[in-house]
Amino acid sequence: MIVFCGYANIDLTVGVPALPAPGDRVQATAVRQGHGGMAANASAAAARAGADAWFAGVVGPEPRSTAFLAALADDGVRTDWTARNGTLTTAVVLLTPDGERAVISQDDELDARHITRTVRAAREAGADWLYLDGYRFPEAAAALAEAAADAPPGTPGPGLVVDLDGCDGAEAMRTALSAADHAVVGRPLAVALLGGEPALVRAAADMDVHLVVTDGSRGWTLLTPAGERHDGPAIEVDTVDATGAGDCFTGAYCAELDRGRSPLEAARFAAVAAGLSCTRPGARDGLPDRRAVESWLAAHPTPEIPEPTRTP
């Protein structure tokens, strides 16, 4: 059981010839609306991969939010712990013909109290994993500590997976890493906030976290607390829309951890899922199911696992 606590929103995707510079005026080539949000997308990706996925975000009481939750339910996601006393926010996605994008997101009303309630509910339900998005830190650390403090003795809480994209500064990212068991982050943000490869290796070891660094078509890197480094490729696809590919990666990664797979096996599965998700427009429509990922893997056998690179 995986509980996804974080963003839900409506994606307003605007096709543009090129991402505008300050002061530019560009003509939209297409405008479409669909369901999105980091945590919501990740929960749908996990459910399509066969996981028992629950979404615990904040939406509104209006029919649009009802439809949003119904779409998650159609994917097999449970939404019992989603609060409906807020607003279903909007994200504007600028998308170029070659798949490059820029995102303007609206803040939601998911606060520390909601995180604490969700952690308690997840623990009582026997959930194995809790997902949080990077926007929640550093404030989420106090909420996690509060929930842990009132746990009955000997009652373990769920493992924590954090999607670090959205972290606002190095302090937030380091706080999230210190709390997480597993973390996923895009390379540009990781390097900007933490530094280059040696700094990322040290962060994984010092924070005792499995850190997956994704880099689009250039592949991914798994850094372990023991100082091991595993590199993996992205699959080759004709990219239509990369919106939500990172969310798909994290959701599929969580699903594989929940099945008892190793972090390396989970990252390989997630990379295939994320690649396939780019072949259709929209953050949600392109999410593959388990059969599609396994079919791709069967057609492209994984080479023998090389010895990991070890960094002192």
Side-chain angles (χ1 to χ4, degrees):
M1 177 181 181
I2 315 165
V3 180
F4 292 83
C5 185
Y7 267 108
N9 55 249
I10 296 296
D11 283 346
L12 182 63
T13 302
V14 182
V16 292
L19 296 181
D24 281 355
R25 181 182 180 91
V26 297
Q27 190 75 23
T29 57
V31 178
R32 66 175 184 272
Q33 185 171 286
H35 295 148
M38 291 175 65
N41 292 340
S43 71
R48 292 190 190 185
D52 179 12
W54 291 56
F55 175 67
V58 176
V59 297
E62 80 293 343
R64 190 174 71 154
S65 291
T66 300
F68 184 94
L69 297 180
L72 285 177
D74 287 344
D75 271 321
V77 179
R78 293 283 298 271
T79 61
D80 309 51
W81 297 337
T82 297
R84 302 204 57 180
N85 58 351
T87 303
L88 180 58
T89 58
T90 299
V92 179
V93 182
L94 303 181
L95 181 67
T96 67
D98 61 358
E100 188 179 6
R101 63 192 175 90
V103 182
I104 307 165
S105 60
Q106 179 185 10
D107 199 7
D108 66 5
E109 295 160 286
L110 194 159
D111 58 16
R113 289 177 297 177
H114 182 83
I115 295 173
T116 300
R117 288 194 299 268
T118 299
V119 176
R120 288 169 176 162
R123 183 182 65 223
E124 292 170 4
D128 298 295
W129 298 98
L130 170 72
Y131 161 106
L132 287 173
D133 61 50
Y135 290 94
R136 311 303 150 188
F137 290 89
E139 292 79 11
L144 293 168
E146 181 180 347
D150 61 15
T155 304
L160 180 62
V161 180
V162 180
D163 186 338
L164 295 171
D165 288 336
C167 277
D168 185 17
E171 177 192 358
M173 185 169 287
R174 291 189 178 279
T175 302
L177 285 170
S178 66
D181 299 288
H182 297 260
V184 181
V185 64
R187 181 171 294 278
L189 182 63
V191 171
L193 296 186
L194 297 179
E197 200 70 20
L200 299 179
V201 171
R202 286 196 302 272
D206 293 347
M207 306 295 187
D208 192 25
V209 61
H210 286 84
L211 177 60
V212 185
V213 184
T214 61
D215 200 11
S217 61
R218 288 168 290 278
W220 52 272
T221 299
L222 169 65
L223 303 172
T224 76
E228 298 175 351
R229 169 185 173 142
H230 300 273
D231 293 295
I235 67 172
E236 294 185 8
V237 297
D238 293 327
T239 298
V240 174
D241 185 356
T243 304
D247 306 336
C248 178
F249 186 105
T250 308
Y253 183 81
C254 289
E256 291 305 282
L257 292 179
D258 198 46
R259 291 172 69 89
R261 306 302 190 200
S262 71
L264 178 56
E265 292 170 320
R268 284 178 168 161
F269 183 95
V272 175
L276 294 177
S277 77
C278 297
T279 60
R280 294 182 60 185
R284 198 76 60 80
D285 290 345
L287 298 177
D289 60 17
R290 183 165 205 89
R291 180 179 299 180
V293 178
E294 290 182 339
S295 293
W296 193 96
L297 289 169
H300 304 79
T302 303
E304 183 177 348
I305 299 175
E307 287 296 318
T309 301
R310 294 183 180 272
T311 303

